[in-house]
Amino acid sequence: MAGDRERYIPFLPMGSSIFSRIIQGEVPGSFIYRDDIVSVFLDIQGVNPGHCLVVPNEEVACLADLNPETGKHLFWVAHRIANAYRAGAIECEGVNLWISDGEVAGQEVPHVHLHVVPRCLGDSLIIRYDARSWNESQRPRLDEIATRIRERL
Ligand code: AMP
């Protein structure tokens, strides 16, 4: 639980990601929550105060290697944290949850982590992309893509 930084989690290999080292207590971390599956600590370069990272205790680099049950738990914990923000723990007018999976997606630390970001009007986080224009004539292409993905679920 919160503040329980000294607890040793024995199954982690030593000398691995920066997040494993935080979880092990080798490197400082400001913990919000921890249990047998995940640990949550504040991001040192957060968008806003309270921005935290929900990290599986077991180090896996990418989503494809993440145990689906762990993934569920990651979201469950993130949801609780977002609710704590909304309940007044910190200044918060909205929340973003995001995972960067892979370098091209902006992943810097090769240890899966779910960002929980409290948002405030006028803060510095800008999410933008060049949205294509849309009309219903493009529906067949969308359906084709949906089918390809559905077949691999
Ligand atoms: P990503 O770009 O999604 O891989 O996010 C990595 C995040 O880890 C960044 O937002 C960093 O600010 C954060 N980070 C890196 N090192 C530490 C650390 N020692 N303690 C807390 N957060 C960290």
Side-chain angles (χ1 to χ4, degrees):
M1 273 302 296
D4 187 17
R5 204 161 22 116
E6 305 312 317
R7 198 170 106 184
Y8 176 63
I9 299 185
F11 54 79
L12 288 171
M14 298 297 285
S16 29
S17 79
I18 181 70
F19 293 164
S20 289
R21 296 173 62 210
I22 293 170
I23 292 166
Q24 300 245 37
E26 292 169 23
V27 168
S30 297
F31 283 82
I32 292 176
Y33 175 87
R34 61 194 311 176
D35 62 28
D36 290 341
I37 304 169
V38 300
S39 298
V40 186
F41 45 85
L42 293 178
D43 191 309
I44 47 172
Q45 295 181 300
V47 173
N48 286 316
H51 176 168
C52 68
L53 307 169
V54 186
V55 184
N57 294 334
E58 188 174 10
E59 185 175 326
V60 289
C62 59
L63 276 180
D65 292 337
L66 185 70
N67 177 321
E69 290 302 316
T70 303
K72 272 196 228 172
H73 192 61
L74 229 58
F75 186 84
W76 183 80
V77 171
H79 186 190
R80 281 183 62 189
I81 291 165
N83 288 347
Y85 293 165
R86 291 292 205 168
I90 40 116
E91 195 186 344
C92 173
E93 294 165 272
V95 179
N96 280 116
L97 302 183
W98 100 69
I99 292 180
S100 301
D101 184 46
E103 211 176 322
V104 74
Q107 184 176 9
E108 291 168 349
V109 177
H111 183 155
V112 169
H113 49 285
L114 174 55
H115 293 256
V116 189
V117 188
R119 301 299 309 276
C120 300
L121 198 64
D123 68 24
S124 64
L125 178 60
I126 296 166
I127 302 170
R128 73 171 293 275
Y129 70 106
D130 295 325
R132 297 191 186 102
S133 59
W134 163 257
N135 61 61
E136 270 302 328
S137 72
Q138 297 166 32
R139 181 67 61 191
R141 173 76 180 133
L142 230 53
D143 286 344
E144 181 203 323
I145 293 167
T147 302
R148 287 215 317 261
I149 298 169
R150 201 166 52 236
E151 285 172 355
R152 285 165 181 77
L153 285 178

PDB file of all heavy atoms in Angstrom, residues 67-90:
ATOM      1  N   ASN A  67       0.434 -10.211 -19.171  1.00  0.00           N
ATOM      2  CA  ASN A  67      -0.636 -11.140 -18.791  1.00  0.00           C
ATOM      3  C   ASN A  67      -1.972 -10.372 -18.783  1.00  0.00           C
ATOM      4  O   ASN A  67      -2.068  -9.322 -18.157  1.00  0.00           O
ATOM      5  CB  ASN A  67      -0.288 -11.669 -17.388  1.00  0.00           C
ATOM      6  CG  ASN A  67      -1.343 -12.602 -16.833  1.00  0.00           C
ATOM      7  OD1 ASN A  67      -2.537 -12.376 -17.006  1.00  0.00           O
ATOM      8  ND2 ASN A  67      -0.891 -13.623 -16.146  1.00  0.00           N
ATOM      9  N   PRO A  68      -2.994 -10.875 -19.502  1.00  0.00           N
ATOM     10  CA  PRO A  68      -4.264 -10.137 -19.584  1.00  0.00           C
ATOM     11  C   PRO A  68      -4.882  -9.865 -18.213  1.00  0.00           C
ATOM     12  O   PRO A  68      -5.516  -8.816 -18.016  1.00  0.00           O
ATOM     13  CB  PRO A  68      -5.164 -11.046 -20.420  1.00  0.00           C
ATOM     14  CG  PRO A  68      -4.241 -11.934 -21.163  1.00  0.00           C
ATOM     15  CD  PRO A  68      -3.003 -12.091 -20.331  1.00  0.00           C
ATOM     16  N   GLU A  69      -4.702 -10.768 -17.273  1.00  0.00           N
ATOM     17  CA  GLU A  69      -5.244 -10.534 -15.926  1.00  0.00           C
ATOM     18  C   GLU A  69      -4.532  -9.346 -15.273  1.00  0.00           C
ATOM     19  O   GLU A  69      -5.149  -8.548 -14.570  1.00  0.00           O
ATOM     20  CB  GLU A  69      -5.095 -11.789 -15.052  1.00  0.00           C
ATOM     21  CG  GLU A  69      -6.005 -12.935 -15.475  1.00  0.00           C
ATOM     22  CD  GLU A  69      -7.490 -12.540 -15.456  1.00  0.00           C
ATOM     23  OE1 GLU A  69      -7.924 -11.892 -14.493  1.00  0.00           O
ATOM     24  OE2 GLU A  69      -8.195 -12.874 -16.432  1.00  0.00           O
ATOM     25  N   THR A  70      -3.238  -9.248 -15.513  1.00  0.00           N
ATOM     26  CA  THR A  70      -2.483  -8.104 -14.986  1.00  0.00           C
ATOM     27  C   THR A  70      -2.975  -6.825 -15.647  1.00  0.00           C
ATOM     28  O   THR A  70      -3.126  -5.789 -14.999  1.00  0.00           O
ATOM     29  CB  THR A  70      -0.972  -8.307 -15.239  1.00  0.00           C
ATOM     30  OG1 THR A  70      -0.580  -9.537 -14.649  1.00  0.00           O
ATOM     31  CG2 THR A  70      -0.153  -7.179 -14.654  1.00  0.00           C
ATOM     32  N   GLY A  71      -3.252  -6.913 -16.950  1.00  0.00           N
ATOM     33  CA  GLY A  71      -3.774  -5.757 -17.681  1.00  0.00           C
ATOM     34  C   GLY A  71      -5.092  -5.273 -17.089  1.00  0.00           C
ATOM     35  O   GLY A  71      -5.295  -4.066 -16.918  1.00  0.00           O
ATOM     36  N   LYS A  72      -5.957  -6.212 -16.733  1.00  0.00           N
ATOM     37  CA  LYS A  72      -7.236  -5.843 -16.114  1.00  0.00           C
ATOM     38  C   LYS A  72      -6.992  -5.110 -14.804  1.00  0.00           C
ATOM     39  O   LYS A  72      -7.629  -4.101 -14.497  1.00  0.00           O
ATOM     40  CB  LYS A  72      -8.024  -7.116 -15.768  1.00  0.00           C
ATOM     41  CG  LYS A  72      -8.894  -7.654 -16.832  1.00  0.00           C
ATOM     42  CD  LYS A  72      -9.873  -8.635 -16.189  1.00  0.00           C
ATOM     43  CE  LYS A  72      -9.933  -9.908 -16.962  1.00  0.00           C
ATOM     44  NZ  LYS A  72     -10.714 -10.959 -16.305  1.00  0.00           N
ATOM     45  N   HIS A  73      -6.055  -5.653 -14.053  1.00  0.00           N
ATOM     46  CA  HIS A  73      -5.775  -5.068 -12.739  1.00  0.00           C
ATOM     47  C   HIS A  73      -5.172  -3.664 -12.887  1.00  0.00           C
ATOM     48  O   HIS A  73      -5.493  -2.754 -12.115  1.00  0.00           O
ATOM     49  CB  HIS A  73      -4.844  -5.997 -11.953  1.00  0.00           C
ATOM     50  CG  HIS A  73      -4.738  -5.634 -10.504  1.00  0.00           C
ATOM     51  ND1 HIS A  73      -5.821  -5.632  -9.656  1.00  0.00           N
ATOM     52  CD2 HIS A  73      -3.678  -5.222  -9.762  1.00  0.00           C
ATOM     53  CE1 HIS A  73      -5.434  -5.240  -8.450  1.00  0.00           C
ATOM     54  NE2 HIS A  73      -4.141  -4.982  -8.489  1.00  0.00           N
ATOM     55  N   LEU A  74      -4.327  -3.512 -13.888  1.00  0.00           N
ATOM     56  CA  LEU A  74      -3.731  -2.205 -14.180  1.00  0.00           C
ATOM     57  C   LEU A  74      -4.845  -1.158 -14.356  1.00  0.00           C
ATOM     58  O   LEU A  74      -4.794  -0.065 -13.794  1.00  0.00           O
ATOM     59  CB  LEU A  74      -2.939  -2.321 -15.479  1.00  0.00           C
ATOM     60  CG  LEU A  74      -1.513  -1.813 -15.605  1.00  0.00           C
ATOM     61  CD1 LEU A  74      -0.600  -2.476 -14.602  1.00  0.00           C
ATOM     62  CD2 LEU A  74      -0.976  -2.070 -17.007  1.00  0.00           C
ATOM     63  N   PHE A  75      -5.839  -1.529 -15.154  1.00  0.00           N
ATOM     64  CA  PHE A  75      -6.924  -0.587 -15.420  1.00  0.00           C
ATOM     65  C   PHE A  75      -7.766  -0.351 -14.171  1.00  0.00           C
ATOM     66  O   PHE A  75      -8.174   0.785 -13.877  1.00  0.00           O
ATOM     67  CB  PHE A  75      -7.807  -1.063 -16.573  1.00  0.00           C
ATOM     68  CG  PHE A  75      -8.837  -0.034 -16.939  1.00  0.00           C
ATOM     69  CD1 PHE A  75      -8.525   1.001 -17.803  1.00  0.00           C
ATOM     70  CD2 PHE A  75     -10.098  -0.058 -16.363  1.00  0.00           C
ATOM     71  CE1 PHE A  75      -9.460   1.989 -18.094  1.00  0.00           C
ATOM     72  CE2 PHE A  75     -11.033   0.927 -16.641  1.00  0.00           C
ATOM     73  CZ  PHE A  75     -10.715   1.945 -17.516  1.00  0.00           C
ATOM     74  N   TRP A  76      -7.999  -1.423 -13.417  1.00  0.00           N
ATOM     75  CA  TRP A  76      -8.811  -1.307 -12.187  1.00  0.00           C
ATOM     76  C   TRP A  76      -8.163  -0.309 -11.224  1.00  0.00           C
ATOM     77  O   TRP A  76      -8.839   0.555 -10.661  1.00  0.00           O
ATOM     78  CB  TRP A  76      -8.936  -2.696 -11.549  1.00  0.00           C
ATOM     79  CG  TRP A  76      -9.802  -2.726 -10.327  1.00  0.00           C
ATOM     80  CD1 TRP A  76     -11.162  -2.766 -10.270  1.00  0.00           C
ATOM     81  CD2 TRP A  76      -9.336  -2.723  -8.959  1.00  0.00           C
ATOM     82  NE1 TRP A  76     -11.578  -2.779  -8.954  1.00  0.00           N
ATOM     83  CE2 TRP A  76     -10.490  -2.755  -8.134  1.00  0.00           C
ATOM     84  CE3 TRP A  76      -8.088  -2.692  -8.361  1.00  0.00           C
ATOM     85  CZ2 TRP A  76     -10.404  -2.759  -6.747  1.00  0.00           C
ATOM     86  CZ3 TRP A  76      -8.000  -2.702  -6.972  1.00  0.00           C
ATOM     87  CH2 TRP A  76      -9.150  -2.731  -6.185  1.00  0.00           C
ATOM     88  N   VAL A  77      -6.857  -0.430 -11.070  1.00  0.00           N
ATOM     89  CA  VAL A  77      -6.143   0.474 -10.154  1.00  0.00           C
ATOM     90  C   VAL A  77      -6.160   1.904 -10.711  1.00  0.00           C
ATOM     91  O   VAL A  77      -6.406   2.868  -9.984  1.00  0.00           O
ATOM     92  CB  VAL A  77      -4.704  -0.034  -9.896  1.00  0.00           C
ATOM     93  CG1 VAL A  77      -3.890   1.007  -9.138  1.00  0.00           C
ATOM     94  CG2 VAL A  77      -4.734  -1.352  -9.128  1.00  0.00           C
ATOM     95  N   ALA A  78      -5.924   2.042 -12.012  1.00  0.00           N
ATOM     96  CA  ALA A  78      -5.930   3.374 -12.630  1.00  0.00           C
ATOM     97  C   ALA A  78      -7.293   4.044 -12.439  1.00  0.00           C
ATOM     98  O   ALA A  78      -7.385   5.246 -12.172  1.00  0.00           O
ATOM     99  CB  ALA A  78      -5.595   3.266 -14.106  1.00  0.00           C
ATOM    100  N   HIS A  79      -8.349   3.259 -12.567  1.00  0.00           N
ATOM    101  CA  HIS A  79      -9.704   3.772 -12.387  1.00  0.00           C
ATOM    102  C   HIS A  79      -9.890   4.305 -10.964  1.00  0.00           C
ATOM    103  O   HIS A  79     -10.423   5.398 -10.756  1.00  0.00           O
ATOM    104  CB  HIS A  79     -10.685   2.629 -12.698  1.00  0.00           C
ATOM    105  CG  HIS A  79     -12.119   3.018 -12.711  1.00  0.00           C
ATOM    106  ND1 HIS A  79     -13.133   2.102 -12.774  1.00  0.00           N
ATOM    107  CD2 HIS A  79     -12.721   4.233 -12.639  1.00  0.00           C
ATOM    108  CE1 HIS A  79     -14.295   2.729 -12.756  1.00  0.00           C
ATOM    109  NE2 HIS A  79     -14.075   4.019 -12.679  1.00  0.00           N
ATOM    110  N   ARG A  80      -9.399   3.570  -9.999  1.00  0.00           N
ATOM    111  CA  ARG A  80      -9.497   4.019  -8.593  1.00  0.00           C
ATOM    112  C   ARG A  80      -8.734   5.325  -8.390  1.00  0.00           C
ATOM    113  O   ARG A  80      -9.175   6.221  -7.672  1.00  0.00           O
ATOM    114  CB  ARG A  80      -8.915   2.957  -7.654  1.00  0.00           C
ATOM    115  CG  ARG A  80      -9.868   1.809  -7.417  1.00  0.00           C
ATOM    116  CD  ARG A  80      -9.294   0.821  -6.426  1.00  0.00           C
ATOM    117  NE  ARG A  80      -9.071   1.403  -5.104  1.00  0.00           N
ATOM    118  CZ  ARG A  80      -8.426   0.771  -4.130  1.00  0.00           C
ATOM    119  NH1 ARG A  80      -7.950  -0.444  -4.320  1.00  0.00           N
ATOM    120  NH2 ARG A  80      -8.270   1.331  -2.952  1.00  0.00           N
ATOM    121  N   ILE A  81      -7.572   5.422  -9.008  1.00  0.00           N
ATOM    122  CA  ILE A  81      -6.768   6.637  -8.847  1.00  0.00           C
ATOM    123  C   ILE A  81      -7.483   7.827  -9.494  1.00  0.00           C
ATOM    124  O   ILE A  81      -7.553   8.914  -8.915  1.00  0.00           O
ATOM    125  CB  ILE A  81      -5.360   6.428  -9.425  1.00  0.00           C
ATOM    126  CG1 ILE A  81      -4.615   5.430  -8.538  1.00  0.00           C
ATOM    127  CG2 ILE A  81      -4.599   7.743  -9.521  1.00  0.00           C
ATOM    128  CD1 ILE A  81      -3.378   4.867  -9.146  1.00  0.00           C
ATOM    129  N   ALA A  82      -8.027   7.591 -10.680  1.00  0.00           N
ATOM    130  CA  ALA A  82      -8.780   8.668 -11.349  1.00  0.00           C
ATOM    131  C   ALA A  82      -9.942   9.116 -10.462  1.00  0.00           C
ATOM    132  O   ALA A  82     -10.228  10.316 -10.348  1.00  0.00           O
ATOM    133  CB  ALA A  82      -9.277   8.182 -12.704  1.00  0.00           C
ATOM    134  N   ASN A  83     -10.592   8.166  -9.805  1.00  0.00           N
ATOM    135  CA  ASN A  83     -11.700   8.522  -8.909  1.00  0.00           C
ATOM    136  C   ASN A  83     -11.201   9.351  -7.724  1.00  0.00           C
ATOM    137  O   ASN A  83     -11.884  10.278  -7.273  1.00  0.00           O
ATOM    138  CB  ASN A  83     -12.421   7.269  -8.407  1.00  0.00           C
ATOM    139  CG  ASN A  83     -13.244   6.604  -9.491  1.00  0.00           C
ATOM    140  OD1 ASN A  83     -13.480   7.199 -10.542  1.00  0.00           O
ATOM    141  ND2 ASN A  83     -13.678   5.385  -9.252  1.00  0.00           N
ATOM    142  N   ALA A  84      -9.988   9.016  -7.244  1.00  0.00           N
ATOM    143  CA  ALA A  84      -9.414   9.788  -6.125  1.00  0.00           C
ATOM    144  C   ALA A  84      -9.122  11.219  -6.578  1.00  0.00           C
ATOM    145  O   ALA A  84      -9.366  12.182  -5.845  1.00  0.00           O
ATOM    146  CB  ALA A  84      -8.144   9.110  -5.609  1.00  0.00           C
ATOM    147  N   TYR A  85      -8.619  11.369  -7.803  1.00  0.00           N
ATOM    148  CA  TYR A  85      -8.406  12.717  -8.341  1.00  0.00           C
ATOM    149  C   TYR A  85      -9.735  13.477  -8.322  1.00  0.00           C
ATOM    150  O   TYR A  85      -9.819  14.606  -7.858  1.00  0.00           O
ATOM    151  CB  TYR A  85      -7.955  12.679  -9.801  1.00  0.00           C
ATOM    152  CG  TYR A  85      -6.605  12.104 -10.151  1.00  0.00           C
ATOM    153  CD1 TYR A  85      -6.337  11.794 -11.489  1.00  0.00           C
ATOM    154  CD2 TYR A  85      -5.606  11.902  -9.211  1.00  0.00           C
ATOM    155  CE1 TYR A  85      -5.109  11.288 -11.874  1.00  0.00           C
ATOM    156  CE2 TYR A  85      -4.371  11.396  -9.594  1.00  0.00           C
ATOM    157  CZ  TYR A  85      -4.128  11.090 -10.930  1.00  0.00           C
ATOM    158  OH  TYR A  85      -2.924  10.597 -11.323  1.00  0.00           O
ATOM    159  N   ARG A  86     -10.735  12.809  -8.891  1.00  0.00           N
ATOM    160  CA  ARG A  86     -12.047  13.449  -9.045  1.00  0.00           C
ATOM    161  C   ARG A  86     -12.694  13.753  -7.702  1.00  0.00           C
ATOM    162  O   ARG A  86     -13.517  14.652  -7.589  1.00  0.00           O
ATOM    163  CB  ARG A  86     -12.983  12.543  -9.852  1.00  0.00           C
ATOM    164  CG  ARG A  86     -12.596  12.404 -11.300  1.00  0.00           C
ATOM    165  CD  ARG A  86     -12.797  13.692 -12.028  1.00  0.00           C
ATOM    166  NE  ARG A  86     -13.008  13.493 -13.451  1.00  0.00           N
ATOM    167  CZ  ARG A  86     -13.425  14.434 -14.269  1.00  0.00           C
ATOM    168  NH1 ARG A  86     -13.692  15.636 -13.817  1.00  0.00           N
ATOM    169  NH2 ARG A  86     -13.561  14.188 -15.542  1.00  0.00           N
ATOM    170  N   ALA A  87     -12.314  12.964  -6.690  1.00  0.00           N
ATOM    171  CA  ALA A  87     -12.883  13.171  -5.348  1.00  0.00           C
ATOM    172  C   ALA A  87     -12.183  14.315  -4.616  1.00  0.00           C
ATOM    173  O   ALA A  87     -12.475  14.564  -3.448  1.00  0.00           O
ATOM    174  CB  ALA A  87     -12.795  11.880  -4.542  1.00  0.00           C
ATOM    175  N   GLY A  88     -11.219  14.968  -5.284  1.00  0.00           N
ATOM    176  CA  GLY A  88     -10.620  16.163  -4.690  1.00  0.00           C
ATOM    177  C   GLY A  88      -9.217  15.974  -4.146  1.00  0.00           C
ATOM    178  O   GLY A  88      -8.677  16.858  -3.488  1.00  0.00           O
ATOM    179  N   ALA A  89      -8.589  14.804  -4.417  1.00  0.00           N
ATOM    180  CA  ALA A  89      -7.231  14.579  -3.912  1.00  0.00           C
ATOM    181  C   ALA A  89      -6.252  15.603  -4.466  1.00  0.00           C
ATOM    182  O   ALA A  89      -5.300  16.005  -3.788  1.00  0.00           O
ATOM    183  CB  ALA A  89      -6.770  13.166  -4.278  1.00  0.00           C
ATOM    184  N   ILE A  90      -6.484  16.007  -5.685  1.00  0.00           N
ATOM    185  CA  ILE A  90      -5.627  17.008  -6.329  1.00  0.00           C
ATOM    186  C   ILE A  90      -6.507  17.837  -7.273  1.00  0.00           C
ATOM    187  O   ILE A  90      -7.650  17.463  -7.533  1.00  0.00           O
ATOM    188  CB  ILE A  90      -4.482  16.353  -7.155  1.00  0.00           C
ATOM    189  CG1 ILE A  90      -4.990  15.119  -7.895  1.00  0.00           C
ATOM    190  CG2 ILE A  90      -3.288  15.995  -6.310  1.00  0.00           C
ATOM    191  CD1 ILE A  90      -4.922  15.287  -9.314  1.00  0.00           C
TER     192      ILE A  90
END
